[in-house]
Amino acid sequence: MAPQLIILPILIPAFAAALLALLRGCLRLEKVLAALTALGLTGVSVWMLMAIDGSDTGVVGTVLGGWEAPYGIAMVADRLACIMLCLSSGVGAVALIYTFWTVTETQQRHFFYPLFFVVILGCNWAFLSGDLFNLFVSYEVMLIGSYGMMMVGASKPQVRQTMKYIGLNAVGSTIFVAAVGLIYATTGTLNMADLAVRTATLEGDQAAMVTACSTVLLTVFAMKTAAWPLYFWLPDSYPVVPAGANGFYAGLLTKVGVYSLLRVFVMVFRQPGSEFALEVLLVLSGFTMLFGVLGAMCQWEIRRILSWHIISQVGYMVMGIGLVSIANDEVKTLAIAGTIFYIVHHIVVKSCLFLVGGIAGKVAGTQELKKMGGVLDMAPGVAGLFIIASFSLAGLPPFSGFLAKFVLLKAGLAGGTTLAYIIVAVAIVTSFFTLYSMTKIWGYAFWRNRCKESVSRNYRGMMVPTAVLVVVTVVMGVWAQPFSQLASRAATTVIEPTAYIESVPGMARERDEADDRQAERATSIASKPNNTEAVR
Amino acid sequence: MELLMALVIGVLFAAGTYLLLRPNFIRVVMGLGLYSNAANMLLIASGGYKAIGLSPFVTSEDAQTSVMMDPLPPDIILTAIVISFAVGALFLTLCYRVYLDHGTDNPEELPNDEMDERDSDAAQARAQTQDLEATKATEETASDENEPAARSLPDVVQELAKDDPQAPHEPGGDELRPRGATGLNGATA
Amino acid sequence: MTERDHNTTADTPADIPSSHDEKGSPVLCTVAKFAATLTLLVSLIIFYQGHNLPGGGFIGGVLAAAAGAMVLLGWGANSWVARIAWWRVSVVGLLISLTTGVVLMFVSPSGDFMDHITLHWPIHLPTATFFDLGVYLIVIGTLMTVFVELGKEEGR
């Protein structure tokens, strides 16, 4: 494929958002156009994944505006980015079609669909950007879209929660800018490929400086990922997002943070001592898993339970990233592949659960567990969807969750350090707790015979998009080999960024120059043996 | 110069943090403003200093690029300013809206979520059924021409605010009214 | 409920005739006439020179919005300026910018998104200007939306 085409997943939602905004008021036309665009976008993403996975290097890069790297704005699509693109577009399309049954006219008049596409645009942009500052801009686009969508309808709790969400994210963004400034000051570049080249050649004080600056970035990503102790914004804000859209939020937004962690801390920062940030992540992951699931256990509202579960699930992915700190290539590949597989599984299943929760709420008239009951009798199909998705979330075979957890635990056990063992133990305990709180939803909302009459019968259409996601998680569990192999292939490009670096126009030359510089330094250091000691 | 910059950045961040922790939304907004200024100063500092720093415009062939300033940090700053401006405007609007909703700009005085979530659930269900009926009723008649041209978020904010009987007549509310706005509305006042 | 509120807000400006007594102070109006025109001209110049000198779409747009703010101050929130759907201006600007980038993918030799070529006829016109035109419109649209909507105060 032509490298220029990789910006299509950014351009399509951008145009769609603008056109849908101009079409404001034509309710039906807007829906049709939104659905067609979302499906087309999914098609483009899948095609990109196929094309890039089939190519020799597995990476395609381009720069915008005809400036070569490191000056131009690089956009790079490797396998990992393409997997994420498929997920954001696919889950976006599913959630968008689901909203046809939930969106109100008022919401639609307040730019619900344009904002939806702005969020998809931000996500896709974040996955493709090969430049730290560009990543920041894409985060902002995504966040501004999400602020708007969270407030669509503007009820009192919505406005209050959005206020907190904006406040926290604005602080996060400022720290992001500061981190970008610090990294630019220490390394002189922001292009990810260039950073990967330059940080690998750093030594001594300079390397320590970059590590220090990267922890500032770590804070930002941890906040966006909702890792412990920076998760407090999430459980309050997600329940106020309009139904349907919250499936997309739950699936995608925090995973953009996980993706950034994976991209930046595993691939970009390669200076000696870069394991420090990963070790921190490994420790955080244990707390994230445990606190998330404990929070979920004491909630009594479906959306809140599921929101807390996002946190605990994020812990698993962060654990996979943290395991990269163990210097063993096999463990590294296994951990990253496991993380990628887990991300895919999680996005699908979590979105699905939110959508099913929405349907159950519609059937029972509320999402408060203590007031619900009897959904199994009223809507057996919905109950079926829920039980499959929740088993998958808890990690029971034969669904995708089992495999995802299994790979991560295997990587942790293969790691062989005490810390890894502890984290693995926490992960297993968390898994049991997850099952417990899923049974709670099942027992109260579905199984218990309480209300006999369903509030709304208009839910059958909503089950179709939800069922698509359920089918994906079953297929990923039963017929896992192609998916896990794709995940391992994606992991290799992340761990060994040579192909990534060479794909960016202008970077090959830049890297050779860096190599020369390093060779010069090596000879000069070799000629002064005392100097080496001093540096160490 | 570096030391001075470091001091200024540190003071700005410290002051911003202090304001962010105040129980008052307007101060939080100001704190965010200070934060973004501090981050932008940091970016300026990250570009490094030159004794003679020309502005980086290459207008002729023999331009001395070596004495020019690094153009990337100002570039980034401009983008960051635009973004923080947009978010700031949105945040201010929301502050105003929260004030109209609840008659306070103190986050600690805002009601607990669980208290009115039930109300909102019920209200949402009501709105949904109303809306469905409205859709049926107006599907044929509704068209874009009946719509006044601009009706974006702030518009809605105020429109919804009208539903709230207490907020608009809150004593002391007038103090919050921006002076420029009164000027704009001089005719109606 | 939306319908009802909606109609009242829609009718209010139409009911009041936009006559002379609606304006703010006459001094402001008189000054604004000249100052706004001048600012708009300067903003256009700054916008055009932006491709190789200080200036450009953003700064030009901010200046033009300043002109709009003067008009709003002079003629009040019910003037014709306040009734334009400014958000549409923003969206059109966004479309112009994006389209420029896409057209350049086909026109420019490298085929990159937002590549730049210079047209020499009829005037010296780099394609960056078209992109900047979009930015100019976006900035005017956004700022004017903020001014108009926050200036309304109909809630009180």
Side-chain angles (χ1 to χ4, degrees):
Chain A
M1 63 185 286
Q4 287 83 7
L5 289 184
I6 64 168
I7 53 159
L8 272 182
I10 300 174
L11 280 183
I12 294 171
F15 272 106
L19 288 176
L20 286 171
L22 286 182
L23 279 180
R24 175 166 178 254
C26 321
L27 304 180
R28 288 240 178 95
L29 186 60
E30 220 180 307
K31 282 182 178 175
V32 171
L33 186 67
L36 286 180
T37 320
L39 290 175
L41 186 62
T42 315
V44 169
S45 309
V46 172
W47 169 72
M48 264 177 68
L49 177 63
M50 303 280 215
I52 285 171
D53 190 36
S55 67
D56 296 335
T57 52
V59 195
V60 174
T62 184
V63 284
L64 302 187
W67 303 95
E68 282 198 342
Y71 304 106
I73 295 171
M75 291 279 169
V76 187
D78 62 352
R79 292 190 183 100
L80 173 60
C82 287
I83 293 172
M84 299 303 290
L85 284 178
C86 288
L87 285 169
S88 71
S89 321
V91 173
V94 166
L96 194 118
I97 291 171
Y98 178 96
T99 57
F100 290 172
W101 283 272
T102 58
V103 74
T104 60
E105 194 190 330
T106 328
Q107 284 175 343
Q108 219 178 330
R109 281 196 187 279
H110 298 162
F111 303 109
F112 182 79
Y113 287 113
L115 287 169
F116 205 114
F117 275 101
V118 172
V119 181
I120 295 182
L121 158 76
C123 290
N124 285 356
W125 186 350
F127 298 144
L128 283 174
S129 64
D131 182 292
L132 272 185
F133 187 69
N134 205 11
L135 185 68
F136 163 74
V137 178
S138 67
Y139 262 85
E140 287 307 307
V141 171
M142 181 183 83
L143 286 173
I144 286 175
S146 68
Y147 302 152
M149 206 148 87
M150 203 176 257
M151 260 188 316
V152 157
S155 71
K156 282 186 188 179
Q158 267 182 325
V159 174
R160 271 203 318 269
Q161 291 307 340
T162 315
M163 182 105 183
K164 293 178 200 165
Y165 184 73
I166 297 183
L168 280 164
N169 277 304
V171 174
S173 306
T174 320
I175 302 175
F176 201 156
V177 179
V180 163
L182 289 172
I183 288 167
Y184 184 69
T186 42
T187 61
T189 184
L190 289 174
N191 185 303
M192 287 191 197
D194 201 14
L195 268 174
V197 171
R198 292 201 194 185
T199 51
T201 61
L202 290 179
E203 281 169 347
D205 286 352
Q206 273 185 310
M209 192 68 202
V210 173
T211 311
C213 295
S214 73
T215 47
V216 181
L217 208 53
L218 186 74
T219 320
V220 182
F221 289 153
M223 192 187 239
K224 310 280 175 191
T225 318
W228 184 85
L230 297 168
Y231 59 67
F232 41 79
W233 55 271
L234 191 145
D236 277 344
S237 57
Y238 277 20
V240 300
V241 181
N246 60 11
F248 184 72
Y249 269 55
L252 258 299
L253 292 200
T254 47
K255 260 52 72 185
V256 179
V258 177
Y259 169 85
S260 312
L261 281 176
L262 200 56
R263 175 69 76 208
V264 173
F265 282 91
V266 177
M267 195 194 83
V268 169
F269 289 118
R270 297 193 299 158
Q271 75 279 11
S274 61
E275 302 82 22
F276 171 73
L278 296 171
E279 276 161 17
V280 171
L281 279 178
L282 191 58
V283 175
L284 292 188
S285 73
F287 286 106
T288 314
M289 284 188 261
L290 205 59
F291 280 77
V293 84
L294 289 178
M297 281 163 70
C298 56
Q299 295 295 325
W300 286 96
E301 213 247 337
I302 293 184
R303 284 173 301 189
R304 278 180 183 271
I305 295 179
L306 294 176
S307 299
W308 277 97
H309 271 301
I310 298 174
I311 298 167
S312 107
Q313 303 285 310
V314 155
Y316 283 96
M317 295 169 230
V318 174
M319 165 187 163
I321 299 169
L323 284 174
V324 181
S325 62
I326 295 162
N328 177 339
D329 280 343
E330 206 180 322
V331 177
K332 275 185 188 173
T333 319
L334 203 59
I336 296 298
T339 311
I340 296 171
F341 196 86
Y342 205 103
I343 292 176
V344 179
H345 146 76
H346 172 84
I347 291 180
V348 170
V349 168
K350 184 55 81 181
S351 307
C352 178
L353 277 172
F354 263 88
L355 299 186
V356 176
I359 304 178
K362 198 165 180 179
V363 171
T366 173
Q367 298 213 21
E368 293 274 339
L369 281 185
K370 286 179 177 165
K371 290 183 198 162
M372 292 176 82
V375 178
L376 180 62
D377 287 342
M378 293 185 282
V382 179
L385 294 179
F386 176 81
I387 195 115
I388 295 177
S390 58
F391 276 0
S392 185
L393 187 78
L396 297 185
F399 307 114
S400 58
F402 169 70
L403 223 85
K405 281 186 184 160
F406 178 74
V407 176
L408 281 180
L409 296 185
K410 194 176 154 199
L413 291 176
T417 60
T418 325
L419 185 59
Y421 285 140
I422 295 173
I423 300 292
V424 166
V426 172
I428 293 171
V429 171
T430 306
S431 186
F432 281 118
F433 286 161
T434 309
L435 191 59
Y436 161 75
S437 65
M438 285 294 130
T439 357
K440 188 163 92 177
I441 301 185
W442 174 254
Y444 275 88
F446 290 89
W447 223 349
R448 187 167 66 150
N449 275 329
R450 193 150 163 277
C451 41
K452 289 284 180 209
E453 208 163 316
S454 66
V455 174
S456 164
R457 296 208 155 273
N458 183 22
Y459 64 84
R460 288 181 205 285
M462 295 155 85
M463 281 169 63
V464 178
T466 320
V468 172
L469 294 179
V470 171
V471 169
V472 173
T473 173
V474 174
V475 168
M476 270 179 64
V478 177
W479 192 45
Q481 194 150 8
F483 293 97
S484 61
Q485 279 174 348
L486 178 63
S488 327
R489 284 201 298 275
T492 48
T493 22
V494 178
I495 293 171
E496 183 47 59
T498 323
Y500 186 96
I501 292 164
E502 278 170 2
S503 75
V504 181
M507 269 318 296
R509 196 194 59 233
E510 188 72 12
R511 190 197 45 186
D512 294 342
E513 281 169 16
D515 282 351
D516 291 347
R517 275 201 301 275
Q518 196 187 15
E520 262 170 46
R521 199 183 307 143
T523 47
S524 69
I525 288 171
S527 60
K528 289 180 230 164
N530 295 337
N531 219 355
T532 341
E533 290 304 315
V535 170
R536 278 185 192 150
Chain B
M1 193 64 186
E2 261 89 354
L3 186 68
L4 183 65
M5 275 303 254
L7 272 176
V8 170
I9 294 165
V11 168
L12 278 178
F13 265 121
T17 312
Y18 176 77
L19 284 176
L20 273 178
L21 297 176
R22 296 286 88 201
N24 184 323
F25 281 133
I26 299 300
R27 279 172 213 206
V28 172
V29 178
M30 287 175 177
L32 286 175
L34 287 188
Y35 254 47
S36 75
N37 284 348
N40 293 338
M41 297 283 265
L42 187 69
L43 278 167
I44 295 178
S46 79
Y49 286 97
K50 285 179 177 158
I52 325 159
L54 295 181
S55 54
F57 288 94
V58 181
T59 43
S60 61
E61 288 297 319
D62 55 340
Q64 290 176 295
T65 45
S66 58
V67 290
M68 281 182 181
M69 221 184 129
D70 187 351
L72 191 69
D75 218 22
I76 293 177
I77 290 169
L78 181 60
T79 318
I81 286 176
V82 174
I83 289 172
S84 63
F85 152 74
V87 175
L90 183 62
F91 201 71
L92 265 178
T93 318
L94 267 186
C95 288
Y96 185 54
R97 173 63 207 273
V98 167
Y99 174 74
L100 289 183
D101 266 1
H102 301 285
T104 174
D105 65 343
N106 183 348
E108 285 166 11
E109 286 171 13
L110 290 179
N112 192 357
D113 269 349
E114 270 129 30
M115 272 160 56
D116 65 6
E117 204 151 81
R118 270 157 222 147
D119 305 347
S120 85
D121 267 353
Q124 250 174 14
R126 239 183 297 129
Q128 218 152 0
T129 45
Q130 272 179 4
D131 219 79
L132 278 175
E133 284 158 17
T135 325
K136 275 178 211 149
T138 56
E139 207 130 70
E140 293 84 20
T141 52
S143 67
D144 207 22
E145 281 76 36
N146 296 346
E147 192 82 349
R151 191 160 160 271
S152 55
L153 207 63
D155 198 347
V156 177
V157 164
Q158 286 169 355
E159 204 177 293
L160 285 168
K162 265 196 296 191
D163 285 350
D164 195 339
Q166 312 137 16
H169 311 295
E170 196 64 29
D174 288 357
E175 283 154 31
L176 256 192
R177 188 187 295 185
R179 287 187 65 187
T182 5
L184 283 186
N185 228 17
T188 43
Chain C
M1 122 222 166
T2 350
E3 262 328 286
R4 176 173 51 80
D5 275 4
H6 205 32
N7 287 339
T8 49
T9 44
D11 292 342
T12 327
D15 290 345
I16 304 168
S18 52
S19 58
H20 187 78
D21 59 334
E22 234 217 318
K23 292 179 183 177
S25 82
V27 179
L28 211 55
C29 284
T30 319
V31 175
K33 252 181 224 164
F34 296 101
T37 323
L38 208 60
T39 317
L40 203 61
L41 273 176
V42 173
S43 93
L44 284 172
I45 293 166
I46 284 186
F47 155 67
Y48 174 69
Q49 74 169 15
H51 56 84
N52 60 2
L53 280 173
F58 180 75
I59 300 164
V62 173
L63 264 179
M70 281 183 220
V71 174
L72 278 180
L73 282 173
W75 278 268
N78 289 324
S79 60
W80 61 273
V81 179
R83 284 191 219 164
I84 297 175
W86 285 106
W87 65 269
R88 276 182 203 268
V89 176
S90 285
V91 175
V92 169
L94 180 65
L95 276 176
I96 291 177
S97 288
L98 285 174
T99 316
T100 313
V102 174
V103 167
L104 282 167
M105 279 173 86
F106 297 102
V107 176
S108 78
S110 73
D112 285 330
F113 177 66
M114 289 202 181
D115 201 345
H116 46 88
I117 50 177
T118 309
L119 311 174
H120 290 289
W121 188 89
I123 46 169
H124 174 71
L125 197 64
T127 48
T129 312
F130 293 107
F131 175 79
D132 248 10
L133 176 67
V135 177
Y136 186 78
L137 292 180
I138 291 174
V139 173
I140 296 181
T142 313
L143 278 173
M144 289 306 289
T145 311
V146 171
F147 291 157
V148 171
E149 299 297 337
L150 288 186
K152 267 185 186 163
E153 272 198 295
E154 281 178 23
R156 282 152 187 277

